[in-house]
Amino acid sequence: MKKSIQILGALVIMTVGGCSGGGGGSDRGLLPAIAENAGNMFSGGRAEKVNEFNIEQTFGPEQIAAMSAPTLAGHLLTRDVWSGMTLAFSARGYDTYHTSEGIGLSFRSDVVVSTRGIGGDLFASDMSGTIRALAAGGGGQYQKSMRFLTPLSGFRDVSLTCRMRRDNVERFVIAQRSFSARRYTETCTSEGLSVENHYFRNDAGKILRSRQWLGSEGGYIELFRLKG
Amino acid sequence: MMTGKTTGILVLALGAMVPSVTLAEQLRFPATLNTSGVPGVIEMPSSASLEDGQLSVTTAHFGNISRNTLTFQISDRMSGSFRYSATRDWPNNGVNTYYDRSFDLRYRLLDETNWRPSLTIGLQDFVGTGLNSAEYLVASKHFGDRVRVSGGIGWGRLGSYNSFSNPLGLDDRPTDFEPTGGTFNFDRWFHGPAALFGGVEWQATDRLRLMAEYSSDGYIEEVGRGLIERKSPLNFGASYQIRPSVDLGLFYLYGSEAAVRFNVLLNPKNPAMGSGNESAPLPVNPAARAAAMSWPAQQSLPSEVTSQIVEAAKPVFEASELELEALHIGDRTATVRFRNPGYMVESQAFGRVARIMTHLMPQRITTFRLVPVDQGMELSALEINRADLEAAEHAPDGGESLYSRVNFYDPATTGLEDGVIAEGLYPRLNWGITPYVNAVLFGLENPLLADVGLRLSGSVDIAPGLSLNGSVTQLVIGNGDDEGDIETTSLPVVRTDRSLYAANNSPAIERLTLDYVFRPGRNFYGRFSAGYLESMFGGVSTELLWKPVGSRLAFGAEINHVMKRDYDQQFGFQDYDTTTAFLSGYYRFDNGYHAQLDVGRYLAGDIGATLSLDREFANGWRVGAFVTRTDASYEEFGDGSFDKGIRVTIPLGALTGQATRDTSAFALRPFNRDGGARLNVQGRLYERVREYHNPEVAESWGRFLR
């Protein structure tokens, strides 16, 4: 079991056994169920390439039902690697998902705001423009900033000028279940850089599927909501 | 035949016909490394520079000549090189190959502009025997985004073909080789006849570069010995970039010789693993959420409750590549002492501990005091407000501004007397078996002497600050004892008999010491070691360091009384003992430059000073050079004249991307002799302490929230 799960598992043990009762709060992600339920199926990882995984067919509702925590499937396009990630922590409007390989992604309103462990991590960002544009169903021009950690512990900042376009409602399949959601296309540009993100948002405002740019090293990640 | 002067003029005239380019375009045309491993064309230098911080390893072979060069771009303008060359069929020191070690320095005086070439001054083999010594001024200019033209004037080797009178009027240049080598050849620099050289590089495709040059190196000695034929001053070749950091060159030299050159580039500023892919940290647990964790109501927790927390927290620390040593929970402040076996960048360790503390502490704890310890010795203290940490976790500035709100100070009084120490730490046995390689590179008679074997190492942490440390080695295979005759001088033999130690095939006690580290007072750190301090000496060693947490300056004092160990490296000693003592000054400049000056008495009784200058990158890469001058004369020192060398430390985490403090380090010395030799005592204080001080922590603060 990887480090993040070890840490969180140890925290549970500590909380239950050592701190006079503990266990309070919203701890729905403290013991990632993905490890037992779906981790092996994904067989993802930073070093492994999985060719056979199919988000539509590889597993279905029974496996989804067995998952006890909100779960995403992630497909890092530049490396063609799949990985499952489960909600490890949720606080102050941020949701942090961890993979079994120790990678962490933090979201705000289903938009990736930071990554840890991918390499060339998105260290911090201001995605408020994206979040507002999604909530408004598209709109005019806005700015967003992304900060990346350099090998020498410094930062590299990228400031993007973006627009969000409201596209059609599309139907797609995730884990043998059919969904319909409206596609939003975000186009962002900076000096020498052009990025196109996609968000599939249902009527309840939940993003069921997306393609988000994590930076020049991380590239794009496709995210599919499996549960939660 | 074209003369040097006319060629140079032709080159510059051709250049003037081609449109110029911007500096930004030049960056797409990186430096070629020549057969001497420095930026150049084929054999001749150019004015191009490697990227700041770049390391290159070059090997080149033609005829009877092989050159292996390590070049480091010390700063944007300055680079230094160490070269080990071998010329076969040239008898020297009883072997049929002339092995030569040399150092180069280059400095780019002028940058290129739209109308002016860049200009670089270079010293080649400036502290060697003089075999390869040369000096040059070279200018380079880009034309279009695919052509670079270089032309220059050389002295010494580079002024040995088609030469003319010295334009500086310095016509006398010694032509004999220095007998011991290793001294600064001031009397040769820019002396003697000069000659012009030049060349052109054409970036034919993204990966292929074609070059032609006119060489002013006459290869007089080699031609005279029949080692090389020099039919023409013109060289031609191609260089192919196999990968972005790997390049292969094939050349046709002097109308007679085929040559191959292979080089690899490494840049500590751009390691293959980028900023690393260590596991994600624990999310910060908001204090309000901790409030729901049913903490006891009383302000002062019973010690048994704190003990429970400590024991429960230990695996959390271990899973984060850290180790919990002690915890004290006060009314508002919690103090944690921790060890950092995992993170090369100390700010990252501070950050991970802070995150863990948000999960461990009740809401009423508003301040975390984080104290890294090394063998029980407190190194610094970082005090951080819990609310600030929460606010910074997802802040768009990545927590950069958080540093202005933390308190970083000397940990001499952390109030941990009534804290709880984690169980099982004292006493504790740690041990391991690892392979080892002891290598002596680039010798006079043998390029590589190496012993390979197994090392059993162990330590017992007896009490905070007090430990027993040792290692036993067993040689498996090697030729470390094949060093040939030991050349002795009037100095006592303290290092030149290392082959006699290497000849030991039995288990050897490499080190066995009782060590005590302590804090004698604010800003002071102390160490005392006794036992078999290193493979060749045993005795006692004590050290005192003054290093304020926020100071770039530190001072140290060290006294050792040691006896020479028996060659079998068991418990016996030889009939030689000595006292060595040093006063040391340390200064940390900007951009990771470290300077250290040690003044004192060395193992052979000689008195002098060692000056070291290193550049350390924030991810742990370190490249440096050192030089020692003592009252031992050049003759007493022997070959090399005085001790000097370069050293490189490679953090393994930068290669793997994983959390580890393991490093691989090596030093290259032209000669390892008795003069200027220091005791290799383990655990000197400055390197242990300063990593947890400023400016190191401040400069790497970006990783606090990594």
Side-chain angles (χ1 to χ4, degrees):
Chain A
M1 193 177 290
K2 298 296 179 181
K3 292 288 184 295
S4 58
I5 295 174
Q6 289 175 1
I7 294 170
L8 294 163
L11 276 173
V12 171
I13 295 167
M14 180 207 72
T15 305
V16 173
C19 293
S20 306
S26 169
D27 61 351
R28 55 193 168 125
L30 278 180
L31 187 60
I34 192 72
E36 292 81 20
N37 296 325
N40 294 333
M41 292 181 204
F42 282 114
S43 300
R46 283 164 286 186
E48 294 179 36
K49 182 176 176 178
V50 180
N51 294 319
E52 289 75 22
F53 185 80
N54 183 319
I55 189 61
E56 295 183 359
Q57 299 298 332
T58 298
F59 59 99
E62 288 180 10
Q63 286 94 340
I64 301 292
M67 296 174 182
S68 59
T71 305
L72 302 174
H75 182 203
L76 206 53
L77 292 174
T78 50
R79 301 174 206 173
D80 196 11
V81 170
W82 284 89
S83 192
M85 59 190 82
T86 190
L87 184 63
F89 206 77
S90 184
R92 295 179 285 119
Y94 293 93
D95 298 322
T96 298
Y97 285 74
H98 282 181
T99 73
S100 59
E101 299 85 23
I103 294 173
L105 273 74
S106 291
F107 297 80
R108 179 154 206 172
S109 302
D110 298 333
V111 175
V112 178
V113 293
S114 66
T115 68
R116 294 290 185 273
I118 285 180
D121 281 318
L122 173 58
F123 201 72
S125 64
D126 180 359
M127 298 290 185
S128 54
T130 300
I131 293 167
R132 278 196 301 271
L134 282 168
Q141 183 173 297
Y142 54 90
Q143 302 287 321
K144 68 178 181 182
S145 62
M146 303 175 82
R147 168 163 277 201
F148 301 95
L149 184 67
T150 70
L152 298 187
S153 303
F155 293 120
R156 182 173 58 84
D157 292 317
V158 175
S159 183
L160 296 156
T161 302
C162 306
R163 284 184 178 278
M164 186 74 76
R165 189 181 72 229
R166 186 172 189 258
D167 294 331
N168 295 328
V169 172
E170 295 183 22
R171 294 194 67 80
F172 49 88
V173 174
I174 300 175
Q176 300 174 25
R177 291 182 300 171
S178 182
F179 298 90
S180 64
R182 183 174 299 279
R183 177 202 287 255
Y184 290 87
T185 298
E186 180 185 50
T187 53
C188 300
T189 57
S190 183
E191 190 176 347
L193 177 69
S194 180
V195 172
E196 186 173 290
N197 296 325
H198 302 295
Y199 305 90
F200 292 85
R201 195 163 177 262
N202 68 9
D203 292 340
K206 202 83 176 167
I207 293 175
L208 304 180
R209 174 184 163 188
S210 64
R211 186 187 83 159
Q212 303 189 42
W213 188 69
L214 304 180
S216 54
E217 283 189 50
Y220 286 101
I221 188 170
E222 284 184 323
L223 293 161
F224 301 88
R225 181 165 297 281
L226 299 178
K227 187 179 183 99
Chain B
M1 184 181 293
M2 209 181 293
T3 68
K5 285 178 186 172
T6 53
T7 305
I9 293 167
L10 176 62
V11 161
L12 293 176
L14 279 172
M17 297 163 60
V18 186
S20 188
V21 292
T22 65
L23 292 176
E25 287 173 298
Q26 294 170 33
L27 297 177
R28 295 200 295 270
F29 196 163
T32 305
L33 293 170
N34 65 15
T35 54
S36 293
V38 300
V41 185
I42 297 174
E43 284 249 281
M44 297 295 104
S46 72
S47 183
S49 297
L50 296 172
E51 287 180 30
D52 178 38
Q54 199 149 39
L55 273 166
S56 69
V57 178
T58 305
T59 182
H61 308 271
F62 59 96
N64 288 315
I65 298 170
S66 297
R67 295 183 188 135
N68 303 284
T69 309
L70 175 70
T71 293
F72 176 54
Q73 190 69 34
I74 301 166
S75 69
D76 176 48
R77 293 181 179 275
M78 179 180 282
S79 66
S81 303
F82 171 77
R83 184 175 307 105
Y84 184 66
S85 56
T87 308
R88 289 169 290 282
D89 298 331
W90 184 336
N92 185 51
N93 273 336
V95 293
N96 198 37
T97 298
Y98 193 115
Y99 293 108
D100 187 73
R101 287 144 292 197
S102 57
F103 293 93
D104 294 3
L105 266 182
R106 288 163 50 94
Y107 189 83
R108 194 176 71 253
L109 297 168
L110 296 174
D111 289 333
E112 184 176 342
T113 66
N114 286 339
W115 57 270
R116 183 186 70 196
S118 60
L119 182 68
T120 292
I121 187 171
L123 299 173
Q124 178 177 298
D125 190 14
F126 69 103
V127 288
T129 58
L131 171 67
N132 293 305
S133 69
E135 304 80 42
Y136 54 87
L137 272 170
V138 59
S140 293
K141 186 83 181 74
H142 292 78
F143 300 99
D145 59 358
R146 291 181 175 270
V147 174
R148 178 166 52 217
V149 176
S150 299
I153 179 170
W155 291 263
R157 266 200 96 105
L158 295 180
S160 59
Y161 178 74
N162 207 7
S163 58
F164 47 86
S165 293
N166 191 308
L168 306 173
L170 306 170
D171 284 322
D172 295 331
R173 183 183 183 105
T175 54
D176 56 322
F177 294 159
E178 294 286 338
T180 57
T183 57
F184 292 98
N185 308 323
F186 296 116
D187 57 342
R188 296 169 189 254
W189 295 0
F190 302 101
H191 283 62
L196 296 178
F197 61 86
V200 61
E201 303 160 74
W202 174 44
Q203 189 74 42
T205 71
D206 286 347
R207 294 188 171 201
L208 180 65
R209 193 173 291 184
L210 302 177
M211 298 91 91
E213 71 175 12
Y214 173 86
S215 170
S216 60
D217 188 339
Y219 279 88
I220 294 170
E221 189 72 28
E222 292 83 352
V223 170
R225 291 173 179 269
L227 302 174
I228 184 173
E229 275 192 275
R230 192 182 190 286
K231 298 178 178 174
S232 162
L234 298 177
N235 299 326
F236 304 93
S239 183
Y240 185 76
Q241 189 180 62
I242 299 168
R243 299 184 62 181
S245 58
V246 180
D247 198 273
L248 175 70
L250 296 172
F251 312 117
Y252 184 63
L253 306 182
Y254 306 110
S256 63
E257 305 286 345
V260 60
R261 185 263 297 138
F262 180 79
N263 70 266
V264 177
L265 296 171
L266 294 167
N267 195 331
K269 296 166 80 171
N270 294 302
M273 298 310 296
S275 58
N277 51 11
E278 308 97 324
S279 294
L282 275 179
V284 172
N285 189 35
R289 192 159 154 165
M293 292 174 68
S294 306
W295 285 90
Q298 65 266 38
Q299 289 287 303
S300 179
L301 291 179
S303 62
E304 59 267 25
V305 173
T306 304
S307 296
Q308 281 184 321
I309 295 171
V310 168
E311 293 312 307
K314 279 165 61 179
V316 184
F317 276 75
E318 286 167 11
S320 293
E321 313 290 351
L322 296 159
E323 194 164 8
L324 174 61
E325 175 137 333
L327 184 65
H328 174 258
I329 303 175
D331 290 345
R332 295 285 173 194
T333 300
T335 303
V336 57
R337 300 201 327 178
F338 67 97
R339 302 177 185 183
N340 172 26
Y343 297 98
M344 179 58 74
V345 180
E346 290 71 23
S347 295
Q348 192 169 356
F350 278 119
R352 299 259 166 156
V353 174
R355 288 172 178 271
I356 293 172
M357 291 293 279
T358 65
H359 290 265
L360 298 179
M361 292 296 107
Q363 185 183 27
R364 65 179 169 80
I365 299 297
T366 57
T367 303
F368 303 140
R369 189 179 288 152
L370 317 176
V371 181
V373 296
D374 183 356
Q375 288 191 323
M377 180 173 66
E378 298 163 334
L379 302 173
S380 63
L382 190 143
E383 209 169 76
I384 185 169
N385 183 286
R386 186 175 193 163
D388 289 342
L389 178 63
E390 289 178 20
E393 185 188 20
H394 295 291
D397 77 347
E400 197 171 28
S401 59
L402 179 61
Y403 184 73
S404 63
R405 296 194 294 279
V406 302
N407 182 21
F408 196 49
Y409 62 99
D410 187 286
T413 54
T414 54
L416 249 182
E417 292 73 17
D418 54 348
V420 173
I421 295 177
E423 290 182 11
L425 291 181
Y426 302 105
R428 186 173 72 177
L429 170 67
N430 310 289
W431 65 277
I433 299 177
T434 56
Y436 75 88
V437 179
N438 284 338
V440 178
L441 301 174
F442 310 136
L444 261 185
E445 300 162 15
N446 200 331
L448 174 62
L449 295 173
D451 286 333
V452 180
L454 292 174
R455 174 183 286 128
L456 170 64
S457 54
S459 67
V460 180
D461 297 332
I462 300 166
L466 183 64
S467 61
L468 181 67
N469 300 281
S471 59
V472 175
T473 58
Q474 174 60 58
L475 175 68
V476 175
I477 190 170
N479 64 345
D481 59 341
D482 191 21
E483 203 164 6
D485 296 334
I486 299 170
E487 179 197 346
T488 58
T489 68
S490 58
L491 290 176
V493 175
V494 294
R495 290 293 184 210
T496 48
D497 57 349
R498 63 182 164 276
S499 61
L500 299 178
Y501 288 90
N504 176 28
N505 286 316
S506 303
I509 300 170
E510 190 178 41
R511 180 182 172 228
L512 182 60
T513 57
L514 186 67
D515 299 292
Y516 182 58
V517 289
F518 56 102
R519 296 295 313 270
R522 184 175 296 276
N523 299 332
F524 283 94
Y525 302 80
R527 174 185 61 80
F528 178 81
S529 303
Y532 299 91
L533 298 166
E534 52 142 291
S535 59
M536 296 167 76
F537 287 92
V540 293
S541 170
T542 187
E543 184 185 2
L544 184 68
L545 176 73
W546 174 84
K547 172 71 174 75
V549 161
S551 173
R552 294 174 177 272
L553 183 66
F555 292 105
E558 177 184 313
I559 300 177
N560 314 295
H561 184 76
V562 293
M563 293 174 286
K564 192 95 186 298
R565 293 181 60 187
D566 279 344
Y567 293 128
D568 63 6
Q569 291 170 282
Q570 298 298 309
F571 294 100
F573 290 97
Q574 301 181 37
D575 188 22
Y576 179 77
D577 68 285
T578 188
T579 298
T580 77
F582 290 91
L583 291 175
S584 301
Y586 311 86
Y587 193 80
R588 169 64 152 74
F589 295 91
D590 284 337
N591 296 321
Y593 292 101
H594 291 260
Q596 179 177 339
L597 179 65
D598 305 294
V599 181
R601 188 173 189 269
Y602 293 79
L603 281 170
D606 48 334
I607 294 172
T610 300
L611 177 65
S612 309
L613 183 64
D614 293 84
R615 185 175 182 187
E616 185 180 58
F617 298 88
N619 54 8
W621 275 86
R622 188 170 176 144
V623 182
F626 56 90
V627 58
T628 298
R629 285 292 288 122
T630 71
D631 58 359
S633 66
Y634 293 163
E635 291 70 28
E636 286 176 310
F637 186 91
D639 283 334
S641 300
F642 59 91
D643 191 46
K644 55 192 164 299
I646 59 175
R647 57 195 177 198
V648 178
T649 300
I650 303 169
L652 299 186
L655 302 180
T656 64
Q658 300 301 303
T660 174
R661 288 180 67 81
D662 291 340
T663 61
S664 177
F666 64 89
L668 297 176
R669 277 183 160 91
F671 298 91
N672 195 354
R673 302 196 56 80
D674 298 318
R678 286 192 71 176
L679 187 69
N680 290 330
V681 65
Q682 300 289 306
R684 284 195 169 100
L685 291 169
Y686 178 69
E687 292 301 327
R688 299 166 74 172
V689 170
R690 60 101 181 163
E691 293 177 335
Y692 292 89
H693 285 200
N694 270 340
E696 279 82 353
V697 169
E699 288 180 358
S700 63
W701 187 253
R703 292 191 84 85
F704 182 83
L705 288 175
R706 169 61 180 83

